[in-house]
Amino acid sequence: MNYLKRSRLYLTHKKGQSLLMLLIMSAILVFVLSGIIIQNAAISATNNVTKSAGTTITVSADRDKQFSKMRSSSSTTKTLTTPTVANTKIKQAGNLSTVAYYNITNTASVNASSFDAVSTSTGTSSGGMGGGMQPGGTTASAGDISVSGVSSTAHTTTFTSNEAKLVSGRNITASDANTKNVVIEKELATDNSLKVGDSITVKTTATSAKSIKLKVVGIYKAKTSSTAMPGNDPSNTIYTSYTLPASISGTVGKSSAVTYTLENSAKEKTTTKQIKNIIDSSSFSVSSDDASYQQLLQPMKNVQSFAKKIVWLVAIAGTIILGLIIILSVRTRQREIGVLVSLGESKLHIVGQLFAEMLTILIGAMVVALLLGGFVGNKVGNQLLSQQQTTSVATTSSTNGAPSGAPSGNMPGGQTGGGMRGGAMMGQTSTSAANKKALKTLNTSITPSSVIKLGGMGLVIIALAVCISAVSILRLRPKDILSGE
């Protein structure tokens, strides 16, 4: 009788034993499939994270070098000069294939003329946060209004982290270059009865003050309307194109800082090196901020590693369990095997019969695994993701109290120093940005590749299990079995 036919008859005759083997094999394959689809989902999520994390590279003045130059100067009057870089070089670096977009930053300090600046209750003055130093120039008197010039307000850290939100009109964009359009804070607008479309006038802080007429194109709401520092109310910050502060400080065609946001966070090191080659780094600090990327990436790596361990542990345990069950089964079938061998049946055919029996059970177990594996994988994967993200956020938050290495005068994301900024605030901003982009659920689904991997793992498991039990079969001698020894 053909050994394949014998395997079919044995399975139908031993229904209880066959059902037990089916349940055991199904349980093994369900967890193997769950591990496979969780691992695939984590890999896919990791690839998405590298594209959506928004790793930034900031070029700003190296304050340590500037202070060193100032102290070593032979001049009796010690002044600190902020270096600038040509916009042509900034745009050249911005054209790199790895850069998604960039935000040029310039700052200036002016005085309110046709309107009143917002005064803080804790101070005696209403000085803006940008005063004290002009890009490309020497120390200047502080005005009560800070002009923050950017390429796009929508791409600044303040707006992307929801520290500020546009409530009326529109944002500053690249098309506003060489215009006098501004976006002002809601409190400043309310106190002076200003609305979108109105014009306001400011005066420069130089000895020969010049009046500049500005047009309000948008109004934003700052999350914090006052600060503990006198004269640093964030409502006195107006956003405009980076070209306006440059014209005020006499550095037309140049800028003091720029932030590049990458298409792919994995290209951070390569892009930083390319930017350093384009922009003279002797006076500038080129630093990257991939905190959000790392915070988003770590949970994915942990989930991927855990899923890989599930697959291997279940596969090894399954092989051992099935091997032991088959060995026990062979012991109960010794007389059957002895009769077959005495009739001239090859021992390899008997081993083949066991493999055929297990292969039939494997096919049924795969059907069960495909029905339940997706559900189990989805539940386990998302629970694991939630736990890993909670751990990652807690770990990151515990380190955010340390001051940031970025100079307070030029913050990453196109921001300038002031009451709303600082090392701790930057840490909180990075954390909140990462939390906003964090993946909430894993996209677990059964793909053709998952089915192929499952089938391959199943075949390996039953092959190893049968090989383990084959040792006892090959040792059997018909005479010993039939004689009852």
Side-chain angles (χ1 to χ4, degrees), residues 293-311:
Y293 171 57
Q294 294 299 334
Q295 186 180 336
L296 292 170
L297 184 64
Q298 193 57 47
M300 296 299 102
K301 286 185 175 180
N302 292 342
V303 171
Q304 188 176 338
S305 175
F306 184 80
K308 187 176 182 179
K309 290 177 182 177
I310 288 179
V311 173

Side-chain angles (χ1 to χ4, degrees), residues 3 27 102 189 282 284 286 309 415 424 454:
Y3 69 92
Y102 59 95
S282 61
F284 288 88
V286 182
K309 290 177 182 177
Q415 298 306 307
L454 178 65

